[in-house]
Amino acid sequence: MAKNESEKPLCPVIEQLTAFRARIHSQACADPSARRALAAVTRIITEISLGRASESQFARLGQLALALPDSERELGAALQASLDAARDQWLSHITGSHCPAGVCFEPRIAPCQSACPAHIDIPSMMALVGHGRYSDSLDVLLKDTPLPDSCGLICPAPCESACVQKTTCQPVFIRPMKSVASRLRSVYPARKVAPSTGKKVAVVGAGPAGVTAAYYLAQRGHHVEIFDERAHPGGIMRYGIPNYRLPASCLNDEIDKVKALGVVIHTNHAIRSVVALRNQGFDAVFLAFGLQYSRRLGVPGDDLPFVLGGMDLLSTVRNGQDMKVGPHVIVIGGGNVAIDAAMTSFRQGAEKVQIWYRRTRREMPANPHEVEMALAEGVELVERWAPSQVMAGNQIEFTRMKTAPDAATTKPVTVRADHIIACIGQDADLSLL
C-alpha cells in the first residue's frame, strides 16, 4: 500500500535549514548580532544539504548551535538535538553525498537566478567577474541574452530583490556587473551557428523581444529577417528609454553583434498584413511589435492638445527632436515610464515637475532606485490622487483616492499645468493581424 504524503521520511538537514531560514526572514529577529549568528549556522547547513561540507564544518556547526544568543536558545537546542539524534543522517550527507530521506541533492537554482526573467546563471556570472574573468562571464550572459550591457544599465534587477544576502545586510549589486563583464572583456565570445536548416523566419519588430528571438533562431541555423517601421532598430530600448540611461552607442554595438550572426534587419519597413508577409516565402512569423502607444487617461478632456502621452514624449526626444515642455509639468502614473518622462521633462525645459499617483510611493511599480533619483533631481510626488477630468485653460481636476485617510473630507482639487503627461500604460497596434 502506498504511503501517505505525511508518512514520507523527513530529512533532518532540511528540517533545520527550513527552521533557520524562516527565523532569519522573521521580522521578530531584528538584532544584528543574532542575525549574523543565524546566518553562519544557515550557511553550514546549506553546504551540508548540497554535499559540499566537511566533517570539521559539522563539528563547527555543533559549536555554533551552543553559542547562539539567548534569544535563539530554543532554535539552538533543537539543532543540537537533531545533530545528536540523527548524527548518522547528517554525516551521510557529508561523507557519502547521500540523503537517506531522498530529499537533498536535487538540482537547485539560486533565488536570484529564479527571479531573473531571462534566467541568467547569475552565480556563475558574478563569480567569474570576481575573478577578473570578464570574457568568460560575458559568455555566461550571452547564453541567455544578446543584450547584456543594455541589461546592466536598465534592468529593474528583480535578482537583487531575491538576493539571499538581503537576510543579513544589503543585496549584492548584481545588475551593473553585466555591464562590467561586457565592457572589460578582452574578447567577445563567439556564438556557434548551426548549419543552415533552409527555413526562413520573419520577425516583426526590432525591439528587445524581436532582437532576442532573431539571436536564438539564427544560432539554430534559420535565416532570420527583422522588419521594423522605425529608422533604427531597438524598439522601446531606443525610442522609449532616455539616452542618459541607455546610450545609443551601447545598443548599436549589441545589435551589430546579432546582425553578425546573419540576421537581416529591414528598417523603415512597416508591415500591414501578417498574411501577406508570410506569403513572401517565410516558414514562420514572430510578432514582437511591443506596446508602442501611450494609453489615454480615460477621463473627459484627455484629448486636449496639452495632454501628451509618456511614450510619445520619450520617443520624440529620442528621435532627436528638441520638444519643449513646461514650465509646469504634471506626470500621471507610477511606473518606469512615468519616472523617465518626469526626468526627461526637466531636460526639455520644465522648471517644476510633479508626479501625481493614485497610490503611495511604496506601491509604485517603478524601480525604487529610479524613484529615488527622480526625487533627488527635484521631481515632486503627490500621492493618492487620481485625475477625474481635464479642462480647457490647461487645467486638470483630481479626486482624492478612497484609500487616503482623509478621503471622506477632502474635496476634488483643480491644478493648472502647462503640460500633462499620461503614463498609465501602453497599447499595441494590432491592425496587421
Side-chain angles (χ1 to χ4, degrees):
M1 185 175 180
K3 288 186 177 182
N4 294 328
E5 191 74 23
S6 60
E7 296 176 346
K8 288 184 178 180
L10 298 176
C11 174
V13 178
I14 296 301
E15 280 189 294
Q16 292 302 313
L17 182 59
T18 302
F20 273 82
R21 283 179 173 171
R23 180 58 179 167
I24 288 177
H25 287 283
S26 171
Q27 293 183 353
C29 181
D31 179 46
S33 61
R35 293 177 68 84
R36 284 193 293 269
L38 291 171
V41 171
T42 304
R43 279 194 291 271
I44 294 179
I45 300 177
T46 300
E47 290 294 297
I48 293 174
S49 73
L50 297 173
R52 299 194 306 224
S54 63
E55 291 188 56
S56 63
Q57 285 178 297
F58 178 72
R60 174 63 176 158
L61 183 62
Q63 297 170 2
L64 291 174
L66 295 174
L68 285 173
D70 290 344
S71 61
E72 311 304 327
R73 184 176 298 172
E74 184 176 341
L75 199 60
L79 173 58
Q80 189 60 56
S82 176
L83 295 175
D84 293 337
R87 180 181 177 85
D88 291 343
Q89 293 187 59
W90 281 86
L91 289 175
S92 180
H93 287 72
I94 297 169
T95 60
S97 295
H98 171 66
C99 175
V103 176
C104 302
F105 309 116
E106 293 294 323
R108 286 190 177 90
I109 298 175
C112 54
Q113 184 173 350
S114 297
C116 175
H119 213 61
I120 292 171
D121 183 1
I122 293 171
S124 296
M125 181 271 292
M126 294 291 290
L128 291 167
V129 167
H131 287 88
R133 295 168 58 184
Y134 303 115
S135 295
D136 292 335
S137 181
L138 180 58
D139 188 48
V140 170
L141 286 163
L142 290 172
K143 291 177 182 177
D144 296 303
T145 176
L147 305 163
D149 195 7
S150 299
C151 185
L153 294 173
I154 62 173
C155 174
C159 53
E160 294 178 14
S161 298
C163 178
V164 295
Q165 192 72 12
K166 285 182 67 176
T167 59
T168 56
C169 55
Q170 294 296 315
V172 175
F173 216 23
I174 298 170
R175 183 183 75 176
M177 293 302 104
K178 301 168 191 174
S179 288
V180 169
S182 299
R183 299 181 187 192
L184 297 185
R185 44 79 179 172
S186 55
V187 296
Y188 197 91
R191 300 291 93 190
K192 293 182 179 179
V193 178
S196 174
T197 62
K199 300 292 186 181
K200 293 179 61 179
V201 180
V203 176
V204 182
V211 169
T212 300
Y215 174 74
Y216 289 111
L217 288 167
Q219 291 181 62
R220 283 158 178 74
H222 306 309
H223 174 74
V224 186
E225 295 185 34
I226 303 178
F227 298 86
D228 196 280
E229 64 181 1
R230 302 265 197 176
H232 302 282
I236 193 172
M237 298 179 74
R238 184 183 300 277
Y239 295 102
I241 297 176
N243 191 65
Y244 67 84
R245 289 187 59 201
L246 178 57
S249 58
C250 165
L251 185 59
N252 291 339
D253 181 62
E254 295 192 310
I255 291 177
D256 285 343
K257 297 294 192 302
V258 175
K259 292 166 67 176
L261 298 175
V263 174
V264 179
I265 301 181
H266 304 280
T267 54
N268 292 315
H269 194 129
I271 299 300
R272 304 303 179 192
S273 168
V274 173
V275 175
L277 178 62
R278 178 73 184 274
N279 291 338
Q280 293 179 26
F282 290 100
D283 298 284
V285 177
F286 182 83
L287 301 180
F289 40 74
L291 304 172
Q292 63 271 55
Y293 296 111
S294 298
R295 189 173 296 164
R296 291 168 58 170
L297 291 174
V299 299
D302 65 357
D303 57 348
L304 288 170
F306 61 93
V307 181
L308 310 174
M311 288 302 300
D312 301 326
L313 170 68
L314 296 173
S315 178
T316 300
V317 173
R318 279 302 299 262
N319 242 340
Q321 301 178 41
D322 190 18
M323 181 179 183
K324 295 300 182 183
V325 294
H328 182 196
V329 172
I330 288 179
V331 177
I332 299 173
N336 288 323
V337 173
I339 298 299
D340 287 342
M343 296 176 75
T344 297
S345 294
F346 272 136
R347 291 160 173 79
Q348 297 305 123
E351 298 175 3
K352 178 179 181 180
V353 179
Q354 296 177 310
I355 293 179
W356 289 64
Y357 183 53
R358 61 196 179 103
R359 297 192 178 98
T360 64
R361 175 181 175 181
R362 180 176 293 183
E363 297 169 290
M364 293 176 74
N367 187 319
H369 175 66
E370 301 293 336
V371 175
E372 188 173 338
M373 286 180 59
L375 296 178
E377 283 204 13
V379 175
E380 299 176 24
L381 177 61
V382 186
E383 301 175 326
R384 290 177 170 162
W385 290 93
S388 49
Q389 64 173 322
V390 182
M391 299 166 286
N394 294 74
Q395 297 184 88
I396 180 169
E397 181 185 80
F398 289 94
T399 302
R400 194 69 162 151
M401 294 298 295
K402 294 180 179 179
T403 54
D406 58 351
T409 58
T410 303
K411 296 181 179 180
V413 298
T414 300
V415 184
R416 188 191 181 284
D418 298 284
H419 287 96
I420 296 165
I421 304 177
C423 302
I424 60 170
Q426 293 122 248
D427 291 315
D429 180 5
L430 304 179
S431 61
L432 75 167
L433 299 179

